[in-house]
Amino acid sequence: MFCLCVASCREAERMEFRLVRGDKTLSFPLDKNTKSSVFSLFPYTDVNGKEYLTFQNPGHEEILFYDMESCLPEFKIRLEREGSNGTGRVGGYHVHNMDSIFLTALGAPIIYIVDSGARVKDKFRYDKATDGTTLGDFPASSSVYKPMVVIGNRLFIFPRPNRHQDVNPLCCAVDLADKSVYGLEVQFPKFPFVRETFKAAGAETEFSSCFNGDGFAYSFYYDEDILVADAAHSTSRRIKAKSRYISRVGYPNDKASTPREICENADYGNMIYDRYREVYYRIAYPRTEVDNDVSLWELIQNGRKTFSIVILNKDFEVIGETRFPDYTYNSMVWFVRADGLYLSASHFMNPDYSDDWFVFHRFDLVGN
């Protein structure tokens, strides 16, 4: 009896945190050609400590930089699709510094490096690893949160798995000196609901990754477990990170999920690391129903109808979970600052939505 009480008390101690809306709102003005349903958004701090909100304008090859304090636009980097400085269609980016901005080509295994004047300084392909493994493309987006990571002289990327081969490294390291690509040891998992003929390719290939300064953590959309690996990916382990609102993941069918299945099925989403509070936030989508008059594709682009955020401590123990109101926040657009977690309130079905503003509410991590 004493052991049961101790175990229950320890569990209660771990489950004591929640996210509560704070007193700060960031509202960024948008012109008529800029949309808030973005797919690539990352905060950036320059060498002088100035914070920017940066994002790629949907449908345009341009990256916008806003002053995080004033919320006013500072400048934009307009990329060229063709010519000597052409980068084609861009599907994500990473601002390493203002002289080295990494761009991932949309649908092609190519990375461009440009400066703040959009001049191409370098480019390279990553379609094949040094051991001959064929690699898929990698969009460095935030809607499916897989930011590039630079550690020393190595760039870490996350190519899509290839259904026609058995070797599918979850992460690859690019030597930025000679552009050699190394497939790391941890392999993309296979899921029991996928027929062998489809192997590891389909809706189940979506996953999120985040880096905590020492290693990587992965959230697979159709798995309640997360996967944790060291920086070199020489070791890995699976850890339970289940939402209290999901009894069972709603697996997609073998070939393709319909928009309604995507909007209504229970599954998981992105995960982000909060280095200021040493916690992880993992999106979970409980099973729900969507009315017939709702635009499903718009709903997918705006983070669905309802979601919760599972909170894990630095040891990957679930220490809380917060569910958010329906049709209010875009679960795919968020970022962390020193003062808290910021969620986009620019959901097209939010009663306060305006396409003239890109709005974020701050949420604070508090104890019960």
Side-chain angles (χ1 to χ4, degrees):
M1 182 68 175
F2 175 75
C3 292
L4 289 175
C5 288
V6 171
S8 297
C9 289
R10 288 176 177 169
E11 181 68 19
E13 288 175 0
R14 287 200 300 266
M15 294 293 289
E16 63 180 1
F17 291 92
R18 67 191 190 280
L19 290 163
V20 176
R21 182 174 168 181
D23 59 1
K24 189 166 186 177
T25 296
L26 299 179
S27 299
F28 301 90
L30 302 177
D31 61 34
K32 63 180 181 179
N33 296 316
T34 306
K35 307 298 182 185
S36 63
S37 55
V38 304
F39 300 102
S40 295
L41 174 148
F42 303 100
Y44 170 68
T45 303
D46 69 13
V47 292
N48 299 313
K50 182 172 181 176
E51 287 185 274
Y52 294 92
L53 180 71
T54 79
F55 61 93
Q56 184 181 343
N57 187 12
H60 299 271
E61 264 57 64
E62 58 183 21
I63 301 172
L64 284 65
F65 285 70
Y66 279 75
D67 184 311
M68 193 74 85
E69 292 301 325
S70 69
C71 295
L72 296 177
E74 288 270 315
F75 60 93
K76 63 178 65 176
I77 299 175
R78 290 190 174 93
L79 305 164
E80 300 177 24
R81 286 196 179 183
E82 300 176 348
S84 59
N85 285 303
T87 55
R89 296 187 63 196
V90 174
Y93 67 95
H94 166 68
V95 183
H96 186 53
N97 56 53
M98 294 310 297
D99 286 322
S100 296
I101 301 169
F102 295 79
L103 311 173
T104 52
L106 191 63
I110 303 173
I111 290 176
Y112 296 88
I113 303 177
V114 303
D115 61 17
S116 58
R119 291 177 289 270
V120 175
K121 300 175 63 178
D122 201 356
K123 68 176 181 179
F124 58 89
R125 297 182 65 86
Y126 56 88
D127 55 329
K128 186 166 289 189
T130 53
D131 63 359
T133 300
T134 301
L135 304 172
D137 66 303
F138 159 57
S141 70
S142 58
S143 59
V144 179
Y145 188 80
K146 290 183 290 190
M148 297 187 220
V149 176
V150 178
I151 304 175
N153 200 42
R154 294 188 299 171
L155 173 69
F156 290 80
I157 60 174
F158 312 92
R160 300 181 197 270
N162 186 329
R163 71 171 66 189
H164 300 298
Q165 62 190 21
D166 292 323
V167 178
N168 281 295
L170 188 59
C171 177
C172 292
V174 181
D175 186 317
L176 292 174
D178 62 12
K179 308 304 187 296
S180 299
V181 183
Y182 300 89
L184 302 182
E185 185 175 334
V186 179
Q187 296 294 300
F188 194 92
K190 289 185 171 63
F191 289 84
F193 61 89
V194 180
R195 291 203 309 264
E196 180 60 24
T197 53
F198 286 92
K199 291 187 178 178
E204 82 286 350
T205 61
E206 297 293 7
F207 68 93
S208 171
S209 68
C210 59
F211 181 64
N212 65 11
D214 294 313
F216 291 84
Y218 296 89
S219 170
F220 300 96
Y221 285 14
Y222 296 96
D223 194 340
E224 67 184 40
D225 295 351
I226 61 172
L227 187 146
V228 178
D230 65 329
H233 288 73
S234 57
T235 62
S236 65
R237 56 195 173 108
R238 293 172 65 90
I239 299 174
K240 294 291 183 187
K242 181 177 171 59
S243 165
R244 70 179 69 173
Y245 300 108
I246 297 178
S247 59
R248 179 181 177 276
V249 169
Y251 296 134
N253 62 47
D254 285 328
K255 294 184 178 179
S257 296
T258 66
R260 183 162 294 279
E261 285 176 330
I262 294 172
C263 289
E264 296 185 344
N265 276 355
D267 51 49
Y268 291 88
N270 292 331
M271 185 164 66
I272 193 170
Y273 179 64
D274 182 342
R275 64 186 176 91
Y276 303 100
R277 283 151 286 274
E278 295 187 308
V279 296
Y280 298 83
Y281 304 121
R282 189 191 193 195
I283 298 291
Y285 296 105
R287 171 70 185 175
T288 190
E289 293 185 1
V290 178
D291 294 336
N292 291 329
D293 60 349
V294 175
S295 170
L296 298 176
W297 281 116
E298 276 194 278
L299 192 58
I300 292 170
Q301 294 174 359
N302 281 264
R304 296 169 58 168
K305 174 183 177 179
T306 187
F307 66 96
S308 69
I309 293 181
V310 181
I311 306 162
L312 301 95
N313 64 17
K314 62 181 180 180
D315 297 318
F316 302 101
E317 297 171 315
V318 175
I319 59 172
E321 185 170 5
T322 300
R323 188 160 180 174
F324 293 82
D326 294 353
Y327 299 130
T328 303
Y329 295 102
N330 186 336
S331 62
M332 299 188 300
V333 182
W334 59 349
F335 58 89
V336 171
R337 297 181 72 195
D339 61 343
L341 172 68
Y342 284 82
L343 277 172
S344 169
S346 294
H347 190 294
F348 80 113
M349 292 190 67
N350 186 327
D352 298 325
Y353 171 75
S354 168
D355 59 9
D356 295 327
W357 297 93
F358 200 5
V359 179
F360 291 84
H361 294 160
R362 191 190 75 204
F363 284 83
D364 302 325
L365 182 67
V366 300
N368 286 329

